[in-house]
Amino acid sequence: MATDFKADEKHFNSSDDEKGLPPPAYSGAGDHEAGAGMHQPGEPRELSRALKGRHMQMIAIALGELAVLYPVNGAFYMYAVRFIDPAWGFAMGWEYALSWLVILPFEITAAGITIEFWRDDINIGVWIAVFLTLLVLVQFFAVRGYGEVEFVLGIMKIIAVIGFIFLGVIIDCGGVPSDNRGYIGAHYWHDPGAFRNGFKGFCSVFVTAAFAFAGTELVGLAAAEAEDPRKTLPKATKQVFWRIAIFYILSLFILGLILRSDNEDLLGASGANTKASPFVLAIKEAGIKGLPSVFNAVITLSVISVANSATFASTRTLQALAKNKMAPRFLQYVDPQGRPLWCIILQLVFGLLAFINEADVGTQVFTWLLSLSALNNLFVWASICLSHIRFRRGWAAQGHTLDELPYTAQFGVIGSYIGFILNVIALAATFYVSLFPIGGDPNAEAFFTTFLSAPIAILLYVGWKIKTRGGPGMYVRSHQMDVLTGLREFNPEILSTEKKQKWGIRNIPARLYHAIFI
């Protein structure tokens, strides 16, 4: 995809920054967290997200190695095509594109509902039209528009979340005069308790945690439009864990300290009800005036940010699918400014589905639309890890060495194995809790609401196998892998010099800092 603009380090880090922010700040529509995770009382959400945080680090660094070497249009979907199996890559490409296509109208609706926090006398359709128009304008600036918008919104959200962390500590210690609860400490972890619903409660959080981390892989999707991927991509992927640890885990931990898990507003919330956002509720419980409105504004920006990411992710994936003859040919058109126009039009047409909320069946329609994307992230992340494992095997089988790679994943293939296994465990846990839901008997509607994307992935996979009459077999053999097409060339002498400087004994402190943060 040719563009006149190349994303620089600022845009990659800002895209990664905004994915490292805690989902409860979003509305329920923002990422299911407020609608399914935080609203279910007492689930061990902090533990689940801690596991997912480590999990995402493995995925991000594996993707970083592949994206630096192959900054190809379509990124991780193409890696599955080349290193696993074309049919599986086809299925993952369409699942990923469809998930973002259906998320956009939901996010636009959520953004409109956030305005009701201040003004409930204006029909939500007005705000849907306003936000959809803003997204259209952003798309006219190609990747520059996406990067600049994410940079500005990311900075705002970082400031807000850091402020909440400090405020949460003050509230927990009884430092707010308007809060008559006084010192809280870890009381809510014991009464009503932090772990409820047992093993099923733990399993049920995986799918919402996966939805919360959705978008971490976008840094790889923009790889083909990076100015210097060898420097920008590794730095962005290495910082994933620390941003998750601070912005997700720490903020959720503090939130669990100052807000009861059986709060009536949490239990009664659904969909995009921002008045039941855990962050807003925690501030309101402390009796602080004015600040809930500030955080509702942050929620509005967060939802718009997710909608912006949805448009970028779906259009780039659809264009790549079309370019590789896995989608209608007209979708591959890219104008001189690097904008996949027909893909953008298709995405915005899906955005018009937000107006379905005006109908009585709107909620039911959106429930089933979102069921298409419930598990997609787990499938995509497992594919990234497996692609990295298969790539390393094919790279070695064809006589190449790790010294030829401009960037290698910190945890190597072992990290990808760990990430892949964790994905499989998360899928198994989600299957279990979908089949045997909390507080209810097994039923088909509950199962497919959570697990619908799995049979769709199987249908896509089988369909492409039939169309290509089996393709290369069950999977691409190591010696048959194409490890050269799209390979970005690097000066081997410069790489060798840099590696020698990096591994010098005198540079041990700098190496540690570089490995963790840069």
Side-chain angles (χ1 to χ4, degrees):
M1 183 186 300
T3 64
D4 294 330
F5 168 75
K6 293 295 183 179
D8 58 19
E9 182 176 331
K10 177 186 75 172
H11 298 103
F12 274 94
N13 286 332
S14 65
S15 176
D16 199 47
D17 278 337
E18 77 97 17
K19 299 301 174 291
L21 295 174
Y26 293 27
S27 68
D31 63 6
H32 280 199
E33 181 77 27
M38 287 296 294
H39 288 175
Q40 295 176 7
E43 292 177 358
R45 52 189 178 271
E46 286 82 6
L47 178 58
S48 294
R49 280 153 186 76
L51 291 175
K52 291 300 295 182
R54 175 62 69 178
H55 177 198
M56 289 310 304
Q57 184 188 25
M58 304 297 181
I59 296 168
I61 60 178
L63 178 60
E65 179 178 313
L66 292 171
V68 170
L69 195 61
Y70 302 104
V72 294
N73 187 22
F76 37 84
Y77 127 73
M78 279 304 299
Y79 301 145
V81 169
R82 294 171 63 172
F83 305 130
I84 301 177
D85 179 65
W88 185 250
F90 169 80
M92 290 301 97
W94 271 105
E95 283 253 305
Y96 190 74
L98 285 173
S99 67
W100 285 110
L101 282 172
V102 300
I103 285 172
L104 177 62
F106 203 84
E107 300 297 342
I108 295 174
T109 301
I113 292 178
T114 60
I115 305 300
E116 292 183 356
F117 187 86
W118 301 288
R119 293 285 302 271
D120 57 4
D121 58 332
I122 300 177
N123 189 284
I124 187 176
V126 174
W127 301 114
I128 290 174
V130 169
F131 292 128
L132 189 58
T133 302
L134 289 175
L135 289 175
V136 171
L137 295 176
V138 170
Q139 297 312 305
F140 278 101
F141 294 95
V143 73
R144 177 185 289 275
Y146 169 76
E148 293 294 344
V149 170
E150 290 306 298
F151 177 74
V152 174
L153 296 182
I155 292 296
M156 291 181 178
K157 288 182 287 182
I158 287 173
I159 294 173
V161 174
I162 290 177
F164 177 83
I165 290 173
F166 283 105
L167 176 63
V169 172
I170 295 172
I171 293 174
D172 190 56
C173 295
V176 178
S178 58
D179 190 352
N180 57 15
R181 293 174 297 176
Y183 176 78
I184 301 173
H187 175 73
Y188 292 157
W189 278 62
H190 303 286
D191 178 22
F195 292 86
R196 296 168 65 185
N197 296 319
F199 181 68
K200 284 187 179 180
F202 177 75
C203 292
S204 67
V205 179
F206 273 107
V207 68
T208 53
F211 206 105
F213 286 105
T216 306
E217 72 287 338
L218 287 178
V219 65
L221 194 65
E225 299 171 81
E227 181 178 359
D228 187 358
R230 186 168 63 90
K231 293 182 179 180
T232 55
L233 286 175
K235 182 173 182 178
T237 55
K238 285 179 182 179
Q239 294 179 4
V240 167
F241 174 74
W242 298 105
R243 287 165 177 165
I244 287 173
I246 295 173
F247 294 116
Y248 271 90
I249 309 305
L250 181 58
S251 62
L252 280 172
F253 172 74
I254 292 175
L255 190 61
L257 291 176
I258 63 176
L259 185 65
R260 296 176 63 93
S261 61
D262 60 353
N263 184 285
E264 292 183 1
D265 291 320
L266 285 179
L267 295 173
S270 63
N273 185 1
T274 59
K275 293 182 181 180
S277 166
F279 276 28
V280 174
L281 283 175
I283 298 171
K284 291 176 68 176
E285 285 285 316
I288 302 175
K289 305 296 183 181
L291 200 54
S293 289
V294 174
F295 256 88
N296 192 68
V298 174
I299 291 170
T300 305
L301 294 175
S302 299
V303 176
I304 295 173
S305 175
V306 176
N308 185 44
S309 297
T311 306
F312 178 83
S314 62
T315 55
R316 268 54 181 183
T317 304
L318 284 170
Q319 193 274 335
L321 285 165
K323 186 177 180 180
N324 290 280
K325 301 180 180 179
M326 292 182 171
R329 184 175 299 179
F330 73 93
L331 292 175
Q332 70 177 309
Y333 173 72
V334 178
D335 71 3
Q337 285 71 43
R339 297 171 297 205
L341 292 183
W342 286 110
C343 295
I344 292 175
I345 292 173
L346 177 61
Q347 171 69 90
L348 297 176
V349 168
F350 266 80
L352 295 175
L353 290 174
F355 290 103
I356 291 179
N357 285 278
E358 297 295 304
D360 295 334
V361 296
T363 301
Q364 184 178 358
V365 171
F366 270 104
T367 297
W368 283 103
L369 282 176
L370 287 176
S371 68
L372 295 173
S373 62
L375 289 181
N376 284 353
N377 295 313
L378 293 175
F379 282 117
V380 168
W381 296 335
S383 298
I384 291 173
C385 292
L386 186 57
S387 296
H388 182 238
I389 294 169
R390 295 292 301 152
F391 157 72
R392 282 288 191 93
R393 183 164 296 183
W395 187 257
Q398 297 185 31
H400 299 282
T401 65
L402 296 182
D403 291 334
E404 299 176 54
L405 300 178
Y407 167 71
T408 55
Q410 289 172 286
F411 299 100
V413 178
I414 294 177
S416 293
Y417 272 112
I418 294 173
F420 180 77
I421 292 171
L422 287 174
N423 268 297
V424 173
I425 292 174
L427 285 169
T430 304
F431 177 82
Y432 167 71
V433 80
S434 299
L435 194 60
F436 303 101
I438 297 174
D441 298 322
N443 67 84
E445 183 176 354
F447 177 81
F448 284 107
T449 298
T450 305
F451 223 76
L452 181 61
S453 57
I456 290 179
I458 295 173
L459 286 175
L460 289 168
Y461 172 79
V462 173
W464 188 257
K465 279 292 185 184
I466 294 174
K467 183 180 185 299
T468 58
R469 298 181 180 180
M474 290 300 296
Y475 61 92
V476 180
R477 306 287 178 178
S478 299
H479 65 278
Q480 295 176 332
M481 290 181 188
D482 180 6
V483 298
L484 298 179
T485 301
L487 184 70
R488 185 182 289 267
E489 296 182 0
F490 297 96
N491 189 321
E493 295 182 0
I494 295 178
L495 288 177
S496 177
T497 302
E498 289 182 352
K499 288 183 178 181
K500 287 180 180 179
Q501 292 175 348
K502 183 187 296 186
W503 291 103
I505 296 178
R506 296 181 180 179
N507 294 330
I508 290 179
R511 282 165 47 200
L512 290 174
Y513 175 80
H514 187 278
I516 296 174
F517 297 105
I518 300 179

